[in-house]
Amino acid sequence: LISTNAEWRMTKPSDAQLELLKKMGVTASVLATVSKGQASRLITKLIDKKQENRTFQRKYNPFNGKWYTKKI
């Protein structure tokens, strides 16, 4: 599974991979040329980037009616 030369990496991406990449904003031209291994790496990178950008979270305190920012 970890080998970068694994045979599965060269096959066609799954429908689930393509659908997720589409939801994440990847263009149709990229989706048409990506392999399963490339799709896997791209999904991982996009998820990591999304989590990296989410270092703070807005929360509402119903007891005092105020919003506050919480570091994640």
Side-chain angles (χ1 to χ4, degrees):
L1 275 177
I2 297 174
S3 172
T4 56
N5 296 328
E7 196 171 311
W8 67 267
R9 293 183 182 275
M10 306 302 175
T11 61
K12 182 181 175 237
S14 69
D15 291 338
Q17 282 180 313
L18 292 173
E19 195 61 36
L20 180 58
L21 288 170
K22 191 176 182 181
K23 285 181 183 179
M24 295 174 118
V26 176
T27 62
S29 62
V30 172
L31 294 176
T33 61
V34 73
S35 70
K36 187 175 274 192
Q38 291 169 328
S40 176
R41 284 184 62 94
L42 187 54
I43 289 168
T44 300
K45 287 185 180 281
L46 289 171
I47 289 172
D48 286 348
K49 184 171 181 153
K50 185 176 181 181
Q51 289 175 346
E52 180 181 294
N53 291 337
R54 197 187 310 164
T55 57
F56 293 95
Q57 183 179 31
R58 297 271 297 154
K59 292 275 193 169
Y60 180 74
N61 184 339
F63 298 108
N64 65 11
K66 295 184 180 181
W67 287 89
Y68 66 96
T69 303
K70 178 182 177 184
K71 186 170 182 163
I72 303 175

